[in-house]
Amino acid sequence: MKGIVVIPARGGSKGIPRKNVRLLGGKPLIAYSIENALNSAHNLKVVVSTDDEEIARISKAYGAEVVMRPKQLATDEVTLDPVIFYTVNQVERNEKASYDYVLTMQPTSPLLSVVTLDAAISYYLEHDFDTVLSGINQPHLSWTEKDGKIVPNYKERLNRQYLPKDLFETGAFFISKRSFVVQNSRFGSNVSVFEIPKKEAIDIDTPQDWWVAEKELNKKNILIRVEGYAEIGLGHIYRGLMLAYNLIDHNIKFVLSAKSDIGLKKIQSSHFAYEVMEEDKELVQLIADFDCDILINDILDTTEEYILMCKRTGVRVVNFEDLGEGAIVADAVINDLYEEKYESKNHFWGSDYYLIRDEFLLAEPTKFNPEVKEVLVIFGGTDPSNLTERVLTVVHELNEPTIHFTFVLGLGYPEKEKVEKYAADYNLNVDIIQDVKMMTEYMGNADVALSSQGRTMLELASMGVPTILLAQNTREQHHEFGYLKNGFINLGLGKEVENETIKQTILWLVRSPQIRKQMKQQMLSKDLKSGINRVKNIIFNQIVEA
């Protein structure tokens, strides 16, 4: 069956002047409808009906034929029916041919995809409808006016998902049998609505519509590859989620390896889309299937072979916390926990690029107390060196009943029952809590903290909590932020530090209010709340040279 597309485009738009030829996402608005129609698998004749020479010139440049409409069909009062009728008649007369169906496409629907358009045409052809128009299902509890009174449009108040369909017509397309396209109508008696994705349904009529369309067109498909298992903890997972929340106006999907058992649980609970893979080489197909624009790796040190494999797919590759050989060939590497190790245009070093969670952006720093009453102990998601138990035994040896200790355990910490029993057996003045939802509440009450040398130390710094650090592993010891210049007492590798050293350090810090005050001031002098904007600029390659 032969189909003809008519795209009506007047030059006298008032809501957005010259909107049909204004650039949206780098090309004229009308170009989107023309390209969709020309790319259809149904071999459509594509014609633009206009009264405007500029619209005509641009339409021809994008491959459409043009029928200039007479002045009487270009006024505000004229509906589309006579315009479509006139255009089809002109084409058929000129070609001495006829068409089986007529498809009206508005130039104001730039988000409609050719996949949706072809599906709608196939739906029309397979069911022998007289007319098929585009629509979206928007069930709501709505009201109307009847006989001077406001009355409900529903019989029973139900949650939205249980309401009957409420189909709204959009301007994306209107398909009719040729025989029903007459001077004042395009409707037949057998009508159906083809539901299109909501994101494709926008009909640009106002500047707000234009803004939304531009945001949709600028969306990127971003894969975030992260790992989270006992040996490395959940820090990479939390950073990946924080990135995802801040990139919510793009399409995000996570990728994890099969060994990331505890990380997978956290991603699942976030409700972001995700994939699990067995081998790195599977990533190539995942990138293709997702039509990925940007790949973010937060998996520690990468190999050159791995990064080159990723880059051959054409994606932009951005790595976090990467000191491996792959970092040299990545498009950008953000090492927020390290001071500059070597000069490289694609590397960004230090706490300026730290991603702090939203709750810390809103939280006020702790108040300084000359007397220590509350100590926070927090060693990450899995605490692989079991520093929690070490410090708990030190608390027993301290014998300071006026100081309360709060131990925050991560989701992956395996010794919860054991430490709870120890605290109960010795009647220690401690609380043991797991899976905290609002960390700022606990950090905000702390006068002193003990922590490992990972990301938690930067959160403590943002809250101004004087902190004693015990590194979980040798890699953490290279996190240069965690030293005296930034307000930390660093005891080194936790498993090599004696209990007596931990004990005496706690006592000394508790009894040194001037030192604690100075540590707090050093911490709060750092700008740890602006990193997200810097990082987003790096991800999208929008770095402004100084």
Side-chain angles (χ1 to χ4, degrees):
M1 296 183 73
K2 289 177 62 178
I4 182 172
V5 174
V6 178
I7 302 173
R10 276 200 314 134
S13 171
K14 293 181 175 62
I16 303 176
R18 309 297 296 161
K19 71 178 177 183
N20 287 319
V21 294
R22 286 181 63 176
L23 297 184
L24 176 70
K27 58 186 175 183
L29 176 62
I30 196 170
Y32 291 93
S33 296
I34 293 172
E35 288 180 340
N36 270 342
L38 289 173
N39 290 327
S40 170
H42 291 278
N43 193 27
L44 303 167
K45 175 85 169 181
V46 182
V47 182
V48 171
S49 166
T50 187
D51 62 328
D52 185 276
E53 289 296 336
E54 185 180 12
I55 293 175
R57 177 175 55 79
I58 289 173
S59 298
K60 290 176 182 177
Y62 277 89
E65 295 186 22
V66 173
V67 171
M68 301 300 293
R69 72 176 78 166
K71 289 183 179 179
Q72 65 268 26
L73 292 181
T75 64
D76 291 340
E77 295 77 22
V78 174
T79 64
L80 284 181
D81 293 333
V83 172
I84 305 304
F85 178 66
Y86 173 85
T87 304
V88 174
N89 275 344
Q90 287 292 105
V91 172
E92 289 182 331
R93 186 180 298 115
N94 291 339
E95 293 183 350
K96 296 181 174 56
S98 61
Y99 287 88
D100 300 299
Y101 63 95
V102 178
L103 197 157
T104 307
M105 290 181 66
Q106 296 281 18
T108 51
S109 297
L111 302 182
L112 180 70
S113 70
V114 69
V115 172
T116 300
L117 176 64
D118 278 348
I121 296 172
S122 295
Y123 173 76
Y124 161 79
L125 295 172
E126 290 165 5
H127 292 83
D128 195 32
F129 290 113
D130 296 332
T131 304
V132 170
L133 53 145
S134 61
I136 53 173
N137 182 28
Q138 288 189 288
H140 283 281
L141 295 172
S142 61
W143 297 69
T144 190
E145 186 175 354
K146 187 176 182 180
D147 299 328
K149 293 183 178 181
I150 300 298
V151 295
N153 279 328
Y154 56 86
K155 294 180 180 179
E156 183 181 1
R157 292 186 71 87
L158 299 170
N159 289 336
R160 184 176 176 181
Q161 63 266 36
Y162 300 115
L163 289 171
K165 278 191 175 184
D166 196 1
L167 296 169
F168 280 68
E169 184 176 346
T170 75
F173 53 78
F174 190 114
I175 310 172
S176 279
K177 286 182 178 178
R178 172 64 181 91
S179 58
F180 291 103
V181 177
V182 294
Q183 181 71 31
N184 294 309
S185 178
R186 287 168 289 156
F187 274 102
S189 57
N190 185 14
V191 177
S192 182
V193 173
F194 185 86
E195 288 185 47
I196 67 175
K198 192 170 183 180
K199 68 178 183 180
E200 297 183 23
I202 190 166
D203 183 13
I204 294 181
D205 191 46
T206 67
Q208 289 78 17
D209 297 332
W210 189 282
W211 182 85
V212 172
E214 203 152 49
K215 291 288 283 185
E216 284 290 336
L217 287 170
N218 287 332
K219 273 187 174 181
K220 301 293 185 184
N221 295 330
I222 303 174
L223 281 178
I224 302 179
R225 185 179 174 193
V226 289
E227 299 287 10
Y229 46 89
E231 288 79 7
I232 65 170
L234 289 170
H236 305 279
I237 299 292
Y238 286 121
R239 179 164 48 197
L241 286 170
M242 189 161 31
L243 273 174
Y245 296 138
N246 280 278
L247 299 172
I248 200 68
D249 50 348
H250 298 274
N251 301 316
I252 304 294
K253 180 181 278 190
F254 283 89
V255 179
L256 304 90
S257 69
K259 65 181 177 182
S260 286
D261 49 353
I262 56 175
L264 179 58
K265 290 179 182 178
K266 195 68 182 176
I267 296 299
Q268 287 172 331
S269 68
S270 75
H271 303 296
F272 280 103
Y274 68 90
E275 297 279 354
V276 178
M277 63 183 191
E278 297 288 339
E279 297 178 291
D280 284 350
K281 63 183 181 181
E282 296 174 38
L283 188 59
V284 172
Q285 188 61 49
L286 293 176
I287 288 171
D289 292 344
F290 191 54
D291 194 19
C292 180
D293 299 298
I294 300 172
L295 170 67
I296 296 173
N297 290 298
D298 197 345
I299 55 175
L300 293 178
D301 298 347
T302 61
T303 65
E304 183 177 0
E305 180 186 12
Y306 168 78
I307 296 301
L308 290 176
M309 177 191 75
C310 297
K311 290 189 70 173
R312 280 193 289 270
T313 66
V315 300
R316 176 170 171 79
V317 178
V318 180
N319 295 356
F320 281 84
E321 203 171 338
D322 188 357
L323 299 177
E325 293 178 355
I328 304 300
V329 293
D331 292 298
V333 180
I334 301 168
N335 286 330
D336 56 335
L337 293 175
Y338 305 100
E339 297 297 331
E340 186 171 341
K341 294 190 176 299
Y342 50 86
E343 188 175 348
S344 173
K345 288 186 177 180
N346 72 327
H347 277 64
F348 302 86
W349 306 91
S351 59
D352 282 349
Y353 304 99
Y354 173 61
L355 299 179
I356 197 163
R357 287 184 284 165
D358 288 352
E359 63 171 299
F360 292 93
L361 291 174
L362 302 173
E364 291 293 327
T366 60
K367 293 180 179 179
F368 178 75
N369 294 319
E371 183 182 356
V372 173
K373 296 181 179 179
E374 177 69 30
V375 177
L376 178 68
V377 182
I378 177 168
F379 287 111
T382 58
D383 187 9
S385 299
N386 201 7
L387 299 174
T388 299
E389 187 175 354
R390 290 275 310 285
V391 173
L392 188 61
T393 61
V394 171
V395 171
H396 181 208
E397 295 169 11
L398 277 172
N399 193 25
E400 291 281 345
T402 61
I403 301 176
H404 179 265
F405 287 78
T406 299
F407 284 74
V408 174
L409 312 180
L411 276 174
Y413 182 67
E415 304 290 347
K416 181 174 183 284
E417 292 182 3
K418 184 178 180 181
V419 294
E420 284 178 332
K421 184 177 186 304
Y422 185 94
D425 288 346
Y426 290 100
N427 195 29
L428 301 180
N429 186 19
V430 305
D431 282 324
I432 297 174
I433 303 164
Q434 192 168 40
D435 192 22
V436 167
K437 302 301 181 186
M438 288 294 290
M439 188 61 71
T440 49
E441 292 182 10
Y442 295 92
M443 290 185 180
N445 290 326
D447 301 307
V448 169
L450 285 91
S451 173
S452 49
Q453 205 172 331
R455 289 182 190 288
T456 303
M457 68 176 174
L458 288 111
E459 295 175 351
L460 288 161
S462 76
M463 297 293 292
V465 183
T467 301
I468 299 167
L469 296 177
L470 295 161
Q472 292 278 5
N473 48 55
T474 54
R475 187 184 181 94
E476 278 196 355
Q477 288 183 281
H478 295 292
H479 294 170
E480 279 87 351
F481 189 80
Y483 289 92
L484 192 58
K485 65 179 180 178
N486 293 320
F488 296 94
I489 296 175
N490 194 317
L491 297 183
L493 191 60
K495 64 184 179 182
E496 295 179 356
V497 181
E498 296 180 355
N499 282 13
E500 184 63 20
T501 301
I502 299 172
K503 174 184 172 182
Q504 293 302 325
T505 305
I506 295 172
L507 288 173
W508 175 77
L509 190 56
V510 165
R511 294 165 183 170
S512 305
Q514 187 61 39
I515 298 296
R516 285 188 279 109
K517 192 171 186 178
Q518 185 176 347
M519 292 170 68
K520 184 181 187 70
Q521 290 170 346
Q522 287 174 290
M523 288 177 163
L524 296 179
S525 69
K526 303 294 179 182
D527 175 18
L528 296 174
K529 297 189 176 183
S530 303
I532 184 60
N533 291 327
R534 299 184 186 110
V535 166
K536 286 169 71 175
N537 286 338
I538 293 166
I539 289 171
F540 296 112
N541 197 23
Q542 296 171 342
I543 307 303
V544 178
E545 295 292 339

